[in-house]
Amino acid sequence: MTKLASGREDELLKRVAEIVEAARGHVARTVNSAMVHAYWLIGREIVEVEQQGKRRAGYGDEILEKLAAELTERFGKGFNLTGLKRMRQFYRAFPEGSALPISLGGPDKGAAARHLLSGDPKGAPARHQSFTLAGPLFPPLLSWTHYRLLLTIEKPETRSFYEIEAAREAWSVRELERQIASLLFERLA
């Protein structure tokens, strides 16, 4: 393999490498954002369609166990019973999407957004709808791992605070975990 010799060629290599690295980063964020939306939609399907919005379905976790077995066989890890319960918990914790304000790319919480999301003017879930969302319910600022950590916070206002601060300050998962452990919200409240 031949190395580039001149300073001009080195600069070209540097710029091209930066373009490739930026594109790879964009792809990773896009995939992660799509999976966050997918997990929310899966949680929504479990809660709204199979459980008709009730806290638990009358038949317990039996349907989730069957769904988990089939999804794990089809798509691999991440769709086990624990994963599906976490997706259900995710939808319940964020029924209208992210708590981020519109200025940070958060969703429009108005009735129009709910209508476009559900495909039904009353907001009821539609079984055979396209799963294209009306807008970014979860902007690509936070990863699924961020949201998994946020799910450990019981109080909605506390969870919203950490979600907004993590997005605004571009906290890594480790930094978010540190801020939660240090009780930042409680210290500032």
Side-chain angles (χ1 to χ4, degrees):
M1 187 164 119
T2 309
K3 291 262 187 192
L4 296 176
S6 75
R8 207 169 131 209
E9 291 169 339
D10 286 343
E11 282 300 312
L12 174 63
L13 173 62
K14 182 179 172 185
R15 288 193 314 271
V16 169
E18 287 172 356
I19 291 168
V20 171
E21 288 170 0
R24 285 181 175 172
H26 178 72
V27 167
R29 283 187 303 279
T30 301
V31 168
N32 198 8
S33 181
M35 292 313 297
V36 167
H37 283 93
Y39 296 154
W40 185 88
L41 285 167
I42 291 167
R44 177 177 171 258
E45 288 296 307
I46 292 168
V47 171
E48 298 298 334
V49 175
E50 297 304 326
Q51 296 178 198
Q52 287 86 40
K54 296 176 188 156
R55 186 83 181 134
R56 292 180 59 83
Y59 39 83
D61 287 334
E62 184 179 330
I63 193 164
L64 280 185
E65 289 172 4
K66 290 178 182 178
L67 182 62
E70 292 194 28
L71 290 173
T72 298
E73 184 176 321
R74 187 168 180 177
F75 298 111
K77 69 178 192 172
F79 295 95
N80 60 17
L81 183 59
T82 302
L84 292 180
K85 286 180 178 181
R86 189 173 287 124
M87 292 171 207
R88 178 177 63 188
Q89 179 188 13
F90 182 47
Y91 174 74
R92 283 191 186 133
F94 297 91
E96 293 185 22
S98 171
L100 295 176
I102 293 173
S103 63
L104 285 175
D108 178 1
K109 303 269 198 250
R114 282 191 297 281
H115 164 69
L116 290 172
L117 172 68
S118 69
D120 181 272
K122 296 174 189 161
R127 276 195 186 265
H128 301 290
Q129 74 183 56
S130 164
F131 290 112
T132 303
L133 298 174
L137 284 177
F138 297 93
L141 302 171
L142 300 177
S143 67
W144 173 239
T145 309
H146 284 93
Y147 283 105
R148 284 182 52 188
L149 186 56
L150 290 168
L151 289 176
T152 64
I153 301 170
E154 289 185 34
K155 294 181 180 176
E157 64 276 1
T158 306
R159 187 172 43 245
S160 294
F161 169 81
Y162 284 112
E163 180 189 15
I164 291 166
E165 289 305 307
R168 181 178 298 152
E169 300 299 326
W171 288 345
S172 66
V173 172
R174 182 171 286 183
E175 180 64 17
L176 174 59
E177 188 172 30
R178 190 180 77 71
Q179 295 293 352
I180 292 169
S182 74
L183 303 173
L184 176 65
F185 177 77
E186 291 76 4
R187 287 185 289 127
L188 294 176

